[in-house]
Amino acid sequence: MISNILDGRKISAEIRSSIKEEVLKLKARGINPTLAVVLVGENPASKVYVRQKEKGCGETGITSRKYELPAETTHEELLSLVKKLNEDKEVHGILVQFPLPAHLNETEVLAVMNPEKDVDGFHALNVGKLVSGLPCFEPCTPKGVITLIESTGIPIEGKSAVVTGRSNIVGKPVASMLLARNATVTIAHSKTRNLQKVVAQADIVVAAIGKPRFITADMIKEGAIVIDVGINRLPEGIVGDVDFKEAARKASWITPVPGGVGPMTIAMLLQNTLLAAGKQGEN
Ligand code: NDP
């Protein structure tokens, strides 16, 4: 079988264009959707992500406010900025770019954030709601994964899904969201025995490990949907966690890296900001 490519660039462009229309509608009601992005320190990858997020805001008419703080910012200073943004009625979404420098406590930063402005979906309240199947801000990368799967038109219900990776930002929330859509979900991790056999029974494979081309074609069931979240920087460029070239011979649908999940993550952040603005604007 030759796979269909799940083109995250194309799908995310369509989503951005519908967000743009919704932003105009909110603006006509006097609501100016605004995302505050906080960047602490000089992490080069974080700087790239923040720039991409600002660009996405610009393209959709969402106002982005960037707060760049020096690496030596104290914990109190950062918490005080987040609290200030919580109170600011003109700000609908707050995103603190992780990882933070080691002396800052990410859990505490999330804990002080107003969950209604937590467009990344990492606040414990939003995590709890996600697991409980209650409406919440779904975290952006997992939401992008689900949107890509749904874009195939193949129902998730009843499918066997294997998520490789159990991080709080990708693996666990993806698994919860697949379960909420009635997939039969297995979460695999570094202690999983016989990973090959576990993955080979999956109709849907989500790879979120962080190891280049770790999921090989022999692990993929003929006709499976394969979503590759991995971003691995190699001398030859960025590659995913899946051996794309070979796996594409067996999957029915597969995401490329780059150009798959990555662009979806930003589109989902913009979508969450739009939702936050719409909701707060009603109050
Ligand atoms: P983490 O490093 O937090 O988690 C990796 C997971 O992979 C862990 O649960 C780990 O298991 C598991 N793992 C490691 N080795 C193996 C193995 N040999 N077999 C099975 N499982 C294994 O990574 P993240 O979840 O944060 O990210 C995963 C990948 O996704 C990375 O490449 C990252 O760059 C990318 N990413 C991409 C995003 C995007 O927008 N496209 C956004 C976020 C991440 P254990 O828990 O046992 O250690």
Side-chain angles (χ1 to χ4, degrees), residues 13-27 57-62 270 274:
E14 287 162 8
I15 293 169
R16 282 200 305 275
S17 101
S18 78
I19 292 172
K20 194 172 173 182
E21 285 172 29
E22 295 302 315
V23 168
L24 285 175
K25 286 187 203 159
L26 282 184
K27 285 188 174 170
C57 285
E59 281 168 14
T60 48
I62 293 173
L270 303 171
L274 178 73

Side-chain angles (χ1 to χ4, degrees), residues 141 165-167 169-170 189-190 208-211 214 229-231 262 265:
T141 299
R166 58 172 163 180
S167 71
I169 60 166
V170 189
H189 46 78
S190 68
I209 300 172
K211 294 199 162 136
F214 186 78
V229 185
I231 300 176
T265 298

Side-chain angles (χ1 to χ4, degrees), residues 10 13 15 63 99 120 202 209 248 253:
K10 181 163 167 271
I15 293 169
T63 299
D120 248 348
I209 300 172
W253 291 89

